[in-house]
Amino acid sequence: MNDTKSLTPAVYILGAGPGAPDLLTVKADKILTTADVILYADSLVPKQMLRNVRHDAEIITTANKTLEEILPLMIDRVRKGLSVVRLHSGDPSLYGAVYEQMQLLAEAGIDFEIVPGISAFQDAAAKLKVELTVPGLVQTIILTRISGKATAVPSREELGSLAAHGASLCLYLSARYVWEAQEKLMEHYSADIPVAICYRLGWPDEKIWVVPLEKMALMTEEKQLVRTTLYVISPALEKLEKVGRSGLYNPEHNHLFRGKHNRKN
């Protein structure tokens, strides 16, 4: 696909990002505003994402539909020569249930393309004005969730074992099980480590609270959060007077593009 003025009949799986239209990639925006048909989960993607779509585009909401209902719609429209957007919240590579769709589209002989999007953890770090990988403090980011009714987490990825790394941990899809999550996190993080509770990032009613880990569950309960909530647990959220610095821009560090002869005296 090179010219979005006339999209090739196919399914375009787009990452909508956290919910703000201006956080779409340029490529995703061009496809979204050009497509003939748009399917989106209206419970996860705000309607504002569709503000610039074609006035004659067919809009299909999918929050109340199963995959067995959604897939035939996409296949039918493509076979009729139409371009179809499947708009996913966040990035399709994270908790998007995209793999099963790709498999079935391929089996049906339907071409598809994936366009990445910004994930909630990236938007959260930007809103919090932090870097989740601080030299000398933390260099690993873990994206995970706790086991739920719809999706079980493999035992080797159990939350307690991941928390043992002490990394920046971004916890998705876990608000309904927050007391259990807090208990497992406190096995390895200190009770007063900051936790950012991020609700509906990118939506008009976005809210972010930063509380000690020991108050994470209570705050979640008080605010009645049960979905569309991300937790960021990280040493990087602590107000540190001095942390390490990257060697990348350090005058004592030489690399391919900046040798000793480039240093200023």
Side-chain angles (χ1 to χ4, degrees):
M1 183 209 70
N2 296 313
D3 183 5
T4 55
K5 291 181 180 179
S6 55
L7 290 171
T8 301
V11 173
Y12 299 87
I13 300 172
L14 306 185
D22 57 357
L23 289 181
L24 275 172
T25 65
V26 173
K27 183 174 183 178
D29 185 60
K30 286 181 177 178
I31 295 173
L32 182 61
T33 56
T34 307
D36 299 309
V37 183
I38 300 164
L39 294 92
Y40 80 110
D42 43 312
S43 60
L44 298 172
V45 178
K47 194 172 183 179
Q48 61 180 334
M49 299 298 296
L50 308 180
R51 63 185 184 181
N52 294 323
V53 302
R54 283 170 35 192
H55 67 87
D56 60 341
E58 181 184 8
I59 310 297
I60 302 173
T61 58
T62 62
N64 63 343
K65 292 180 173 58
T66 65
L67 181 61
E68 286 73 16
E69 294 172 304
I70 295 169
L71 198 75
L73 291 172
M74 295 193 291
I75 293 173
D76 173 72
R77 301 310 190 269
V78 173
R79 286 178 175 168
K80 288 179 177 177
L82 301 175
S83 53
V84 177
V85 159
R86 181 72 173 109
L87 191 59
H88 277 270
S89 60
D91 181 81
S93 69
L94 290 175
Y95 308 118
V98 171
Y99 182 67
E100 57 201 37
Q101 295 178 62
M102 294 190 294
Q103 281 186 309
L104 294 171
L105 288 171
E107 289 174 8
I110 300 296
D111 289 335
F112 62 89
E113 179 176 344
I114 300 175
V115 179
I118 291 175
S119 181
F121 86 92
Q122 296 167 299
D123 191 28
K127 297 285 174 55
L128 292 162
K129 297 182 179 180
V130 299
E131 180 180 354
L132 296 177
T133 53
V134 179
L137 181 65
V138 58
Q139 288 290 286
T140 300
I141 301 173
I142 295 174
L143 311 178
T144 191
R145 59 170 298 172
I146 201 165
S147 284
K149 292 181 180 179
T151 305
V153 173
S155 58
R156 65 181 180 277
E157 298 174 18
E158 192 270 328
L159 183 57
S161 64
L162 296 180
H165 295 283
S168 291
L169 192 148
C170 303
L171 189 61
Y172 288 74
L173 304 168
S174 300
R176 292 182 185 274
Y177 312 98
V178 66
W179 286 100
E180 179 185 351
Q182 178 177 298
E183 181 181 355
K184 292 180 178 295
L185 291 168
M186 288 184 64
E187 293 173 6
H188 300 284
Y189 290 98
S190 65
D192 60 353
I193 191 171
V195 175
I197 303 174
C198 308
Y199 174 70
R200 287 165 72 93
L201 284 169
W203 291 59
D205 57 347
E206 167 191 296
K207 294 285 189 301
I208 299 176
W209 302 272
V210 179
V211 300
L213 174 58
E214 63 183 351
K215 295 184 179 179
M216 180 178 86
L218 184 61
M219 175 65 79
T220 299
E221 197 171 75
E222 287 178 354
K223 299 299 180 180
Q224 299 182 327
L225 310 179
V226 294
R227 57 190 302 278
T228 326
T229 302
L230 169 74
Y231 300 94
V232 180
I233 303 95
S234 174
L237 294 176
E238 297 181 283
K239 296 188 181 300
L240 304 173
E241 292 185 4
K242 187 175 182 180
V243 296
R245 65 174 288 182
S246 168
L248 184 60
Y249 299 109
N250 192 314
E252 299 303 316
H253 176 68
N254 300 320
H255 57 65
L256 179 63
F257 299 101
R258 188 184 66 236
K260 291 183 180 180
H261 64 281
N262 287 330
R263 293 184 188 172
K264 292 183 179 179
N265 296 322

